[in-house]
Amino acid sequence: MNLINIENITKYYTDTPLFENASFTLDDTEKVGVIGINGTGKTTLLKMLIGVEEPDKGTITRANNIVIRYLPQNPKFDKDATVLEAVMEGNRTQENEWSIESDAKTILQRLGITEYTQKVSTLSGGQRKRIALANTLLSRAEILVLDEPTNHLDSSMADWLEGYLKNYRGALVMVTHDRYFLDSVSNRIVEIDKGKIYSYQTNYSGFLELKAQREDMQLATERKRQSILRVEIEWMKRGARARSTKQKAHIQRYENLAAQKGPQQEAQLELSSVSTRMGKTTIELQHITKGYGEKNLIFDFNYLFLKNDRIGFIGENGCGKTTLMKIICGIEQPDSGEVIKGQTIQIGYYAQEIQNDAQAGLAYMKPEMRVIDYIRNTAEYVQTTDGSVSASVMLERFLFPPEKQYGLLGKLSGGERRRLNLLRVLMEAPNVLILDEPTNDLDIQTLTILEDYLDHFDGIVIAVSHDRYFLDRVVRRIFAFQDGIIRQYEGGFTDYQARQQQEEGIKEDETKNTAKKSTLEKEASVSLKNIKNRQEKLRFSYKEQKEYETIEEEITLLEERLQTLDTEMVENGYDFVKLNELTTMKETTEQLLEEKMERWMYLQDLAEKIAQQTNKKM
């Protein structure tokens, strides 16, 4: 069923066209991921879907009485509202009067918020975003429209939200940079590119393949056009021999071919290596301890950063990751311990939130400041592998054309401001890059280029991130905050996760073994009594008799079930999700069959002994 239909819309932002004759539809079974570089109109499209903005041209049609809920990038609340009041706002109905408070608390707990009576105005931006997400998920909507829902979520929260949205029965439209999340949840990708909307009926992995095919087809079409055009030009050079209708049509054909525009090359963000030479001494953390009030965040942490280290810090929100980054930078001081820095160390700190107050110094983004002045305040020129490069050229490499360079900061989108702030950090030519949640609000293309840049960056990279893909792609060592202790794991996020599961499995096995040992001791005691009793008189108990009568039939059914599963696995050999489910079912069935066979052997042996005892008496 079609829920929303957008036809031939055109939308301008100042003098820049965001959309030109673009179209989009949404059906009730679709989970759509919207992607595109910052500033192309992703958030504008979401706002048009919900009716907050209207197109300059074109039509938007929505199904009657459809309920749509929207999660904005920067949600706003009543300053006097408590956490629980903010989550329940707009969601209370007669049907859920008795359950809404309990449901709200359940979602809040999943998102790491347990202080329900706290004023929303006292919370951080990340906490407010999670409260807004809880409010949106609590609603009874047919369509969820989510703008960057995974921002400020740690890995466990992102996993929970991923499962929630996969099972959500309504339609979903979301803008997100989280590629693992996008790949898992979405069944359709919509790309905004140069004012057009391209739709791909697949997840993110499939989109990458289909987009490459589309671009190859466009290039092939353009090569064919150029080939025909060359022939036509040769014909025109010879001159028309007569002014016949046929030749006039030929001339018109040439003019049409010449007027056609070839496929525009996608603007590419370019990052040249920008860093200062590093001496022998890097950064060493000695016995760092830090807490606030009774809460201990970091306890006796030691680490010597090596040249070209790629380090990732992970943990729940509020555990102290950003605090540690600020201690390394010198913005905050530890309660005890020392940070030793080499004389040649130049730190570039990419903060989680862009500072909007004068205390931020060079990082301060005045809305009335011009884009180029913001960069020039850091450096007029910077040395790269391409030689000395001006601020203006660097801005062009960061997808800020000349007309935008002299525009005001206040007119940039959130993602464009983040990209500009990243350029400011790199213009400082650091040899130690500290990136605090770099994936928040950066588009996927920028992230891909940044990841490639970090591969070749001649220095130390320290990243705080909840983005599982980014951590797998960039870091080679993980430090996890766990109850005030920072534990070290080698590899990326997937390696860390596997190690965690292994450790949890060991603990679980130890618990099971203890319980099993206790159970075996009890069973041995009971068995000993049974043996003594049976030595006097062997016989089936009532339960054993019933079990003996039915167990062969149960074994037959399990064997037939295994045959059926084998057939289904062959039929679903290309459906990896279904194949995984069938494999798990087969393993469970085989284990159950093995247990039944062992039980049958015991009962059969007992039956034979009872028969022998009866024969002796006769």
Side-chain angles (χ1 to χ4, degrees), residues 182-380:
L182 200 60
D183 201 47
S184 176
V185 175
S186 61
N187 55 24
R188 177 181 166 203
I189 298 294
V190 163
E191 181 189 23
I192 303 175
D193 184 24
K194 304 178 189 69
K196 300 297 183 184
I197 295 176
Y198 298 94
S199 183
Y200 305 83
Q201 297 291 337
T202 180
N203 61 4
Y204 182 70
S205 297
F207 152 75
L208 293 174
E209 184 177 350
L210 292 176
K211 182 183 179 181
Q213 291 176 9
R214 174 175 70 83
E215 291 176 340
D216 287 344
M217 288 173 64
Q218 287 179 332
L219 290 173
T221 302
E222 175 61 11
R223 285 194 296 270
K224 185 177 180 181
R225 184 181 75 89
Q226 292 290 345
S227 177
I228 296 172
L229 191 57
R230 280 193 294 272
V231 174
E232 296 295 327
I233 289 172
E234 288 299 319
W235 183 88
M236 291 293 292
K237 284 180 179 178
R238 295 192 191 102
R241 295 172 183 169
R243 296 296 175 185
S244 67
T245 303
K246 185 176 181 181
Q247 287 166 331
K248 286 179 182 179
H250 206 135
I251 292 170
Q252 184 64 47
R253 180 188 175 196
Y254 160 76
E255 290 176 345
N256 290 339
L257 279 169
Q260 286 178 17
K261 292 182 179 179
Q264 289 179 274
Q265 290 296 313
E266 189 173 312
Q268 291 290 335
L269 175 64
E270 295 182 38
L271 288 177
S272 297
S273 181
V274 183
S275 63
T276 303
R277 187 189 66 81
M278 184 184 296
K280 291 183 179 180
T281 307
T282 57
I283 300 176
E284 185 174 1
L285 307 181
Q286 294 184 348
H287 307 291
I288 301 297
T289 297
K290 182 70 175 179
Y292 293 98
E294 296 180 356
K295 188 173 184 180
N296 185 36
L297 296 177
I298 305 163
F299 179 72
D300 196 30
F301 179 59
N302 299 275
Y303 187 70
L304 172 63
F305 289 93
L306 306 175
K307 287 184 178 181
N308 295 312
D309 246 350
R310 297 294 186 267
I311 305 298
F313 285 90
I314 64 173
E316 296 179 353
N317 291 312
C319 67
K321 302 184 299 295
T322 295
T323 299
L324 181 57
M325 299 306 103
K326 289 181 177 179
I327 289 173
I328 295 172
C329 293
I331 298 172
E332 291 193 19
Q333 297 301 315
D335 296 336
S336 62
E338 185 180 7
V339 180
I340 300 171
K341 298 177 188 174
Q343 291 184 348
T344 60
I345 291 298
Q346 176 72 28
I347 295 177
Y349 179 43
Y350 182 71
Q352 185 175 158
E353 294 184 7
I354 297 173
Q355 299 298 315
N356 293 312
D357 54 72
Q359 294 179 354
L362 293 177
Y364 177 36
M365 277 193 169
K366 295 179 182 177
E368 65 276 11
M369 182 185 289
R370 293 186 307 176
V371 170
I372 195 165
D373 292 335
Y374 178 72
I375 296 302
R376 281 175 175 167
N377 282 349
T378 301
E380 187 78 38

Side-chain angles (χ1 to χ4, degrees), residues 310-498:
R310 297 294 186 267
I311 305 298
F313 285 90
I314 64 173
E316 296 179 353
N317 291 312
C319 67
K321 302 184 299 295
T322 295
T323 299
L324 181 57
M325 299 306 103
K326 289 181 177 179
I327 289 173
I328 295 172
C329 293
I331 298 172
E332 291 193 19
Q333 297 301 315
D335 296 336
S336 62
E338 185 180 7
V339 180
I340 300 171
K341 298 177 188 174
Q343 291 184 348
T344 60
I345 291 298
Q346 176 72 28
I347 295 177
Y349 179 43
Y350 182 71
Q352 185 175 158
E353 294 184 7
I354 297 173
Q355 299 298 315
N356 293 312
D357 54 72
Q359 294 179 354
L362 293 177
Y364 177 36
M365 277 193 169
K366 295 179 182 177
E368 65 276 11
M369 182 185 289
R370 293 186 307 176
V371 170
I372 195 165
D373 292 335
Y374 178 72
I375 296 302
R376 281 175 175 167
N377 282 349
T378 301
E380 187 78 38
Y381 291 89
V382 66
Q383 291 297 323
T384 73
T385 52
D386 303 325
S388 180
V389 179
S390 68
S392 178
V393 171
M394 287 297 288
L395 278 165
E396 284 196 58
R397 291 183 176 184
F398 267 63
L399 308 183
F400 290 99
E403 60 270 18
K404 271 204 170 183
Q405 292 180 21
Y406 290 89
L408 302 180
L409 293 178
K411 291 190 175 181
L412 298 179
S413 70
E416 287 175 314
R417 287 197 296 272
R418 294 282 288 176
R419 193 192 321 141
L420 186 66
N421 191 37
L422 176 61
L423 172 58
R424 180 195 62 78
V425 172
L426 296 181
M427 289 290 284
E428 296 171 353
N431 48 31
V432 176
L433 263 178
I434 297 181
L435 308 173
D436 195 353
E437 294 293 356
T439 62
N440 284 0
D441 299 321
L442 285 182
D443 58 76
I444 291 174
Q445 181 187 340
T446 302
L447 285 175
T448 303
I449 302 300
L450 173 60
E451 289 157 359
D452 184 61
Y453 171 82
L454 295 177
D455 285 343
H456 303 92
F457 176 72
D458 188 17
I460 297 169
V461 177
I462 305 169
V464 171
S465 182
H466 293 135
D467 190 314
R468 298 159 292 178
Y469 185 98
F470 181 83
L471 290 170
D472 274 341
R473 178 69 177 76
V474 172
V475 309
R476 297 193 289 266
R477 180 170 295 140
I478 293 278
F479 283 100
F481 281 69
Q482 297 170 348
D483 301 321
I485 304 299
I486 304 176
R487 298 187 61 189
Q488 180 177 326
Y489 297 85
E490 296 305 308
F493 183 82
T494 302
D495 299 307
Y496 154 77
Q497 205 169 38

Side-chain angles (χ1 to χ4, degrees), residues 497-508:
Q497 205 169 38
R499 181 61 182 162
Q500 281 286 95
Q501 291 171 352
Q502 185 181 358
E503 289 176 358
E504 289 172 5
I506 290 170
K507 289 179 183 177
E508 189 177 334

